[in-house]
Amino acid sequence: MERDYPLEKVRNFGIIAHIDAGKTTTSERVLYYTGVSHKIGEVHNGEATTDWMEQEKERGITITSAAVTCFWNPTYAPTDKSKKVRFNIIDTPGHIDFTVEVKRSLRVLDGAVVVFDGVAGVEPQSETNWRYADEAMVPRICFINKLDRTGASFEHSYKTILDRLNKNAVRMQLPIGLEEKHEGVIDLMRMKAIYFEGEMGIKLVEKEIPEDMKADAEKYHAELIEKIVEQDDVIMNEYFEGKVPELAVLKSLLRKAVIANKIFPVFAGSALKNKGVQLVLDAVVDYLPSPLDIPAIQGINPANDEVIDRPASDTEPFSALAFKVATDPFVGQIIFFRVYSGTLSAGSYVYNPRTGNKERIGRILRMHANEREEVKKVFAGEIAAAVGLKDTITSDTLCDENAPIELYRIVFPEPVISLRVEPKTKADQEKMGMALSRLAQEDPTFRVTTDPETNETIIAGMGELHLEIIVDRMKREFTVETNVGKPQVAYRETITGEAQVEGKYIKQSGGRGNYGHVKIKIKPMDLSIDADDLPKNIKREKGFEFINTLKGGAIPQEYIPACEKGFKEGLDRGVLAGFKLENVSVELYDGSYHDVDSNEMAFKIAASMAVQDACKIARPVILEPMMNVEVVTPEKFMGDVTGSLSSKRGLIEGMEARGMNQAVKAVVPLSEMFGYMTILRSMTEGRASFTMEFLRYDIVPVNVATTIIEARK
């Protein structure tokens, strides 16, 4: 079986945006214009193709990223089959609680279309997503959507992109009319006005630029051409001597610049009113990379930790990254994966370097949201889903056993909020364990633990909505009824001083005894030094550092790992209120042993006791998660909103006008934000909204710390 589409005719891209900027509506238009769906599903009717979960339909938001395959003939060559391109699109969620979906999708995509609200411009989540795209080095094109809304302003939204995201954004279009007068767009590259006529705006009509917009169009056309020719010294010199490059040359220069993340083209329109979407699809073809345009993926050879490259080619050894695990009611567990090199056939075996095992691929599916098409083989550069993998989790590499490679894992944020859950009946008890482990497999930001003292089950996630959806999914997908406790904040503890102690564990019983003796120093970790620059005798993990400065074999080498394990276990339970201790540096500098009585267990216990005693002396403090909060409110409620945020120990960082409203930015402790939506609605006649995301951990004020410690007793 041969590849049905050449690699240069493939585009893997995602649609990313702040909640409610219109990503899913844009995705629906894309599916309609590319002929995948014959009827347009609207989000507000709960009919969007890519929002297929019950919870998504009810809330009108996207929760999981949906993968869709479709085909597009550019509008400038609608009948030329040689120009047809295959799109693999992922529609990602905008809500901060599901930020993991954006992060993992960007990791496997080659490009992104970033959608902005024409009234609000850049919103907090757009900034977070843009930052994730920067980290993943993903080329982007911008689409300022909703220009038909009251208060829409293309120029304001464009300015927010320049101010908050990147100075290298450039206008590719100007809207013709705004709000209810929004009729079409001006293409600044070709200097033509384009209108969208016929049913669903499917017919593009080219006309001359309206007289009253000619001056602006000329000005921004010159700006665009200058920005493009800057990319090539020879062409730039020719341009300044008066020679304007041809359209094909400009396009190829712009394509190079977009792929190198040097220019971010900005388009205009309204997905809901069917204006401008086809031109964004043309731009995806013209400017976003195919798998051949991006650098070869890098990974590590598991045998010797050497860095290896895998170019996108069918003839290279097979390598793929599993970026999502989903449970399908009909098929069971599905693993979404991106093929970086080589090919994979259904029924063959893949090797997983994390587990060191081989697994058989049962079936391979190409997904159209929640509908599926079975394929026998997938090729480099494709996104597909596999059935039959039991032991694969998000971020695992799948590869050829004879040419093993481990691709870099995706790093996920830590959960900041937890809940206690208990099954309602005995029958629910057995099902709950299975349901939670399946959900935790799907979502790397969702954790399940058991409280060692009370044996209660604790679930932790990114926010209240995140955990609400998890509990809802347990009920619907796994028919598990649960009782849920109040949301709890994921506090941490740390030390602010230094201490030096010794820990001895000596136990004599008949026969052989136990003897472990360590001397340690502890201090806060110095995070200004990068982990790669640390000397050989220092081992650093997340939140913990182990320094070995033992001299002259005071403790035999075989007991050192046991000591390290003991230090880690000692830090699992804090000394103030039992929260995990982090950012502690432990130095083992001396100790002693007994020829007969010393063993690993004795040293582990001695180390654990020593670290607990040391932390009690080293000025321990409690840390709490601080959130970046943005409240958008009508101006007349500004005083009430800022007052309420200040009363919640919030620090107001700034305000700015957003269309008819004001946006207030603040940093507020998460513990003060529970149920804030209800307070905000009653204070502003239901007209304000807010978003928040995790920022950092800060030390809790003394009076609050006392309350937390009392409550934990």
Side-chain angles (χ1 to χ4, degrees), residues 126-424:
S126 339
E127 294 186 50
T128 306
N129 291 342
W130 192 272
R131 193 172 69 239
Y132 288 158
D134 279 341
E135 284 169 20
M137 312 265 288
V138 171
R140 279 144 275 179
I141 56 182
C142 305
F143 176 49
I144 295 179
N145 185 25
K146 298 196 174 186
L147 289 173
D148 59 306
R149 275 186 62 193
T150 310
S153 159
F154 176 78
E155 285 305 318
H156 163 74
S157 301
Y158 173 67
K159 190 173 175 299
T160 61
I161 295 174
L162 292 180
D163 291 348
R164 292 186 216 158
L165 302 180
N166 200 299
K167 290 274 176 276
N168 293 324
V170 62
R171 299 176 189 81
M172 297 293 288
Q173 296 175 343
L174 290 177
I176 302 171
L178 289 169
E179 303 182 352
E180 71 281 4
K181 297 196 180 73
H182 178 48
E183 297 170 3
V185 296
I186 292 171
D187 181 338
L188 293 173
M189 197 87 140
R190 291 172 34 242
M191 291 301 277
K192 290 278 182 215
I194 297 166
Y195 296 88
F196 302 84
E197 294 177 3
E199 193 192 348
M200 305 307 300
I202 205 149
K203 207 166 134 231
L204 273 66
V205 181
E206 265 191 29
K207 297 185 182 171
E208 287 309 308
I209 295 171
E211 279 303 319
D212 60 337
M213 293 191 72
K214 272 195 172 147
D216 275 354
E218 290 289 348
K219 177 175 138 195
Y220 295 132
H221 168 71
E223 223 174 76
L224 172 65
I225 306 299
E226 262 176 49
K227 190 96 181 156
I228 296 172
V229 296
E230 273 173 18
Q231 308 299 318
D232 184 301
D233 293 346
V234 178
I235 294 175
M236 181 166 73
N237 291 334
E238 286 176 358
Y239 175 71
F240 287 126
E241 283 162 14
K243 184 184 167 196
V244 178
E246 288 179 3
L247 186 64
V249 174
L250 286 171
K251 274 186 155 181
S252 94
L253 273 182
L254 181 54
R255 179 179 177 78
K256 265 198 195 118
V258 171
I259 291 171
N261 276 318
K262 287 182 179 161
I263 290 184
F264 301 97
V266 181
F267 295 81
S270 160
L272 188 66
K273 296 287 191 278
N274 314 307
K275 305 218 184 326
V277 177
Q278 297 100 310
L279 300 178
V280 173
L281 296 185
D282 288 352
V284 169
V285 174
D286 292 341
Y287 308 123
L288 286 186
S290 78
L292 294 174
D293 297 315
I294 53 170
I297 188 83
Q298 284 194 326
I300 291 204
N301 182 340
N304 55 15
D305 284 354
E306 241 176 63
V307 176
I308 30 185
D309 284 355
R310 281 284 158 84
S313 157
D314 295 344
T315 54
E316 288 281 320
F318 173 71
S319 70
L321 185 74
F323 66 96
K324 183 176 163 73
V325 179
T327 307
D328 183 289
F330 306 105
V331 189
Q333 190 162 302
I334 302 181
I335 308 284
F336 285 86
F337 62 94
R338 156 78 194 257
V339 184
Y340 283 102
S341 62
T343 61
L344 178 68
S345 305
S348 60
Y349 283 86
V350 288
Y351 175 70
N352 182 339
R354 179 184 61 86
T355 59
N357 295 332
K358 281 197 310 187
E359 286 196 82
R360 184 172 178 275
I361 299 271
R363 293 155 59 199
I364 300 174
L365 308 172
R366 199 172 277 149
M367 304 298 284
H368 303 288
N370 64 333
E371 290 176 15
R372 55 198 79 73
E373 160 201 1
E374 200 160 326
V375 289
K376 290 278 171 277
K377 191 173 185 181
V378 285
F379 300 87
E382 290 198 38
I383 291 175
V387 180
L389 296 174
K390 296 275 180 291
D391 204 12
T392 302
I393 59 173
T394 300
S395 228
D396 276 0
T397 302
L398 305 172
C399 62
D400 181 340
E401 193 185 13
N402 302 320
I405 181 172
E406 185 154 16
L407 303 174
Y408 295 114
R409 298 188 79 78
I410 310 170
V411 181
F412 293 111
E414 287 291 310
V416 291
I417 185 168
S418 61
L419 283 178
R420 293 170 187 273
V421 290
E422 58 180 34
K424 276 195 176 160

Side-chain angles (χ1 to χ4, degrees), residues 422-435 478-482:
E422 58 180 34
K424 276 195 176 160
T425 64
K426 192 94 178 105
D428 288 324
Q429 185 143 18
E430 286 155 19
K431 288 192 292 185
M432 185 174 95
M434 189 194 78
F478 302 95
T479 60
V480 178
E481 293 281 349
T482 53

Side-chain angles (χ1 to χ4, degrees), residues 440-704:
Q441 261 182 328
E442 281 184 31
D443 182 349
T445 56
F446 170 62
R447 307 276 163 83
V448 184
T449 51
T450 306
D451 186 317
E453 288 181 358
T454 58
N455 262 345
E456 289 171 305
T457 303
I458 295 168
I459 58 174
M462 300 306 294
E464 285 182 274
L465 179 66
H466 187 192
L467 295 181
E468 187 187 312
I469 300 273
I470 294 272
V471 172
D472 197 30
R473 286 186 63 191
M474 278 207 294
K475 185 173 165 183
R476 291 194 195 186
E477 289 169 38
F478 302 95
T479 60
V480 178
E481 293 281 349
T482 53
N483 295 323
V484 181
K486 275 202 186 118
Q488 302 287 325
V489 178
Y491 291 107
R492 300 266 189 272
E493 292 182 27
T494 191
I495 54 171
T496 56
E498 301 185 8
Q500 193 167 331
V501 299
E502 59 180 310
K504 262 188 183 167
Y505 180 69
I506 303 171
K507 202 165 187 184
Q508 231 30 66
S509 53
R512 283 183 67 167
N514 287 305
Y515 182 92
H517 174 215
V518 296
K519 292 185 179 179
I520 64 165
K521 294 176 188 162
I522 67 163
K523 62 178 188 212
M525 244 161 85
D526 182 359
L527 296 171
S528 62
I529 304 173
D530 197 55
D532 299 335
D533 303 332
L534 293 169
K536 281 273 186 288
N537 68 329
I538 300 182
K539 266 172 77 178
R540 182 179 287 182
E541 288 172 29
K542 199 172 163 60
F544 167 67
E545 188 175 81
F546 173 54
I547 309 174
N548 178 0
T549 53
L550 283 168
K551 300 233 172 13
I555 297 173
Q557 197 54 45
E558 69 259 30
Y559 299 137
I560 308 286
C563 292
E564 188 185 344
K565 205 168 171 195
F567 295 140
K568 269 195 222 156
E569 283 181 12
L571 294 173
D572 273 347
R573 214 177 146 63
V575 292
L576 287 174
F579 300 111
K580 193 177 161 72
L581 275 150
E582 59 175 38
N583 293 350
V584 178
S585 173
V586 182
E587 180 188 343
L588 175 62
Y589 70 93
D590 199 5
S592 64
Y593 70 102
H594 188 282
D595 283 339
V596 179
D597 291 351
S598 280
N599 55 45
E600 285 185 355
M601 190 191 78
F603 271 103
K604 192 173 109 175
I605 294 171
S608 178
M609 284 160 48
V611 90
Q612 281 269 316
D613 292 344
C615 286
K616 285 174 189 159
I617 311 166
R619 300 204 302 278
V621 289
I622 295 179
L623 300 171
E624 64 180 340
M626 304 298 284
M627 310 303 277
N628 257 334
V629 177
E630 182 177 280
V631 182
V632 179
T633 170
E635 192 150 346
K636 67 175 194 181
F637 303 115
M638 275 282 287
D640 296 346
V641 168
T642 51
S644 85
L645 288 172
S646 301
S647 71
K648 293 184 169 301
R649 298 194 281 126
L651 185 68
I652 309 287
E653 294 206 313
M655 300 163 204
E656 64 175 60
R658 277 273 166 89
M660 311 293 285
N661 294 328
Q662 288 284 335
V664 183
K665 292 186 170 180
V667 175
V668 191
L670 173 63
S671 57
E672 302 282 346
M673 291 301 292
F674 291 138
Y676 183 62
M677 195 75 231
T678 318
I679 299 168
L680 186 65
R681 281 186 183 141
S682 62
M683 196 163 50
T684 60
E685 300 166 6
R687 289 163 63 192
S689 63
F690 83 100
T691 52
M692 68 173 180
E693 66 173 311
F694 173 71
L695 173 66
R696 59 169 185 262
Y697 270 96
D698 270 359
I699 294 175
V700 174
V702 178
N703 58 332
V704 181

